[in-house]
Amino acid sequence: GQQVMQIPQYQHVQEGEDFTTYCNSSTTLSNIQWYKQRPGGHPVFLIQLVKSGEVKKQKRLTFQFGEAKKNSSLHITATQTTDVGTYFCAGSMEYGNKLVFGAGTILRVKS
Amino acid sequence: NAGVTQTPKFRVLKTGQSMTLLCAQDMNHEYMYWYRQDPGMGLRLIHYSVGEGTTAKGEVPDGYNVSRLKKQNFLLGLESAAPSQTSVYFCASSPSGQGHSPLHFGNGTRLTVT
């Protein structure tokens, strides 16, 4: 079945350092979504990528969708303590099909 | 708008007991979902509904049942709880199918089965 692998599982950075999490699929994706879950909270939608090679930015966050639509990344520039949480990618093989979530990357930021 | 509301927030069950988790959304969304979240495994889809009166199995449906008698409500039932069902359960809704639109999650129910 469709699998979405996410790495790293855990990352601990110094405040001000950059952070990247990667998402890889065994099959070509129709689209990919990213969510953030604060400790003790629920997942909150960040963004959706649909086009091959698409790059979107939200302030210090940069999201990329690979040319082959099999991988994606989320990069945070100059992390802040408010960035702590777990970041999930979720891919859909066919547009409108069920989303498959990656296991998530836990980000901790030392101030 | 309350968004997606889940009750209860916490529950402890003994093996073999039954319970129902309640989910309500006030956004008039067609699609509703139940996920479970376990450490290191992300979110796994249990059951989902594409509209009032419909339900379908997700990735991990065994041991659970659901009902969607009203558009705004999606109920998750555990008929005979097992320790393997200890988890955090999230309900979510979306205006159209997954992949079309973002999921809106509730605050979760933390269930412990002893």
Side-chain angles (χ1 to χ4, degrees), chain A residues 31 33 35 37 41-43 45 48 88 92 95-99 101-103, chain B residues 35 37 40-43 45 48 90 97-103 105-107:
Chain A
N31 60 285
Q33 296 179 357
Y35 291 80
Q37 183 178 24
H42 59 277
F45 174 79
Q48 176 167 282
F88 292 98
S92 176
Y95 202 64
N97 203 344
K98 293 184 290 292
L99 284 174
F101 280 82
Chain B
Y35 287 90
Q37 182 175 30
M41 301 188 74
L43 292 148
L45 183 64
Y48 65 101
F90 286 102
Q98 295 187 65
H100 278 291
S101 55
L103 300 179
F105 285 88
N107 288 329

Side-chain angles (χ1 to χ4, degrees), chain B:
Chain B
N1 277 352
V4 179
T5 303
Q6 289 183 234
T7 53
K9 293 184 179 180
F10 303 93
R11 185 72 187 268
V12 178
L13 288 179
K14 293 184 178 180
T15 298
Q17 287 184 320
S18 64
M19 78 163 294
T20 300
L21 281 65
L22 309 178
C23 178
Q25 53 96 3
D26 62 2
M27 297 173 284
N28 201 35
H29 286 172
E30 288 293 335
Y31 291 71
M32 296 188 74
Y33 317 86
W34 276 106
Y35 287 90
R36 61 177 289 171
Q37 182 175 30
D38 303 291
M41 301 188 74
L43 292 148
R44 293 182 292 168
L45 183 64
I46 304 171
H47 285 282
Y48 65 101
S49 168
V50 302
E52 180 179 318
T54 74
T55 62
K57 294 180 179 180
E59 184 185 352
V60 287
D62 294 343
Y64 305 95
N65 57 76
V66 288
S67 65
R68 182 108 181 259
L69 298 179
K70 293 183 178 180
K71 185 177 183 179
Q72 63 268 35
N73 297 332
F74 196 29
L75 279 59
L76 177 70
L78 285 72
E79 290 185 348
S80 180
S84 60
Q85 293 178 305
T86 293
S87 187
V88 179
Y89 291 86
F90 286 102
C91 176
S93 71
S94 63
S96 55
Q98 295 187 65
H100 278 291
S101 55
L103 300 179
H104 298 256
F105 285 88
N107 288 329
T109 296
R110 185 172 295 274
L111 175 66
T112 302
V113 182
T114 61

